[in-house]
Amino acid sequence: MAYSEKLLDHFKNPRNVGTLDKNKNSVGTGLVGAPECGDVMRLQIEVDPITKKITEAKFKTFGCGSAIASSSLATEWLKGKTVDEALAIDNMAIVEELALPPVKIHCSVLAEDAIKGAIKDYQAKNGVQTEASIAASH
Ligand code: FES
């Protein structure tokens, strides 16, 4: 299987590997696992309370090269975005950017799920109601 240069670059030199303090209110943590393969990804964002933009994003992925590359790319894309903009990141954009082969599409889904998980955690900590939680409370 031939992997793209971009994928190999993110795999060999992953950006933003690390941990943010999950106890901070400004930090949201998403932890997800892929049932297909058992790989696990943790992705964290830090949101500026004034500008509401994501100032920091970190990840740790215990998984395949495509999952590592997907999460590395995701953290690059997250920085500078608002939470709403971040919610719009969809796994197919990652598939396209990294030219992931079909058997590796679920690796990018893991990254999208981790982003959504981190945002949900951040919103829950900061009392932001998502449409889903508003609907559930009625
Ligand atoms: Fe499962 Fe990549 S093989 S996340």
Side-chain angles (χ1 to χ4, degrees), residues 42-60:
R42 189 190 64 205
L43 189 145
Q44 296 180 296
I45 54 168
E46 178 148 26
V47 181
D48 184 298
I50 310 286
T51 65
K52 304 287 182 205
K53 286 199 173 162
I54 295 168
T55 52
E56 196 55 89
K58 297 267 185 211
F59 81 93
K60 269 202 174 160

Side-chain angles (χ1 to χ4, degrees), residues 37 39 64 67 104 106-107 110:
C37 58
D39 290 348
C64 73
K104 292 290 177 181
H106 77 271
C107 318
L110 202 57

Side-chain angles (χ1 to χ4, degrees), residues 33-41 61-68 70 103-108 110:
E36 290 88 345
C37 58
D39 290 348
V40 178
M41 185 181 290
T61 294
F62 303 94
C64 73
S66 298
I68 291 169
S70 295
V103 294
K104 292 290 177 181
I105 287 180
H106 77 271
C107 318
S108 67
L110 202 57

Side-chain angles (χ1 to χ4, degrees), residues 15-32:
R15 327 306 194 247
N16 308 310
V17 174
T19 307
L20 299 171
D21 180 358
K22 68 175 169 37
N23 295 319
K24 276 169 88 176
N25 266 351
S26 54
V27 171
T29 302
L31 182 64
V32 290

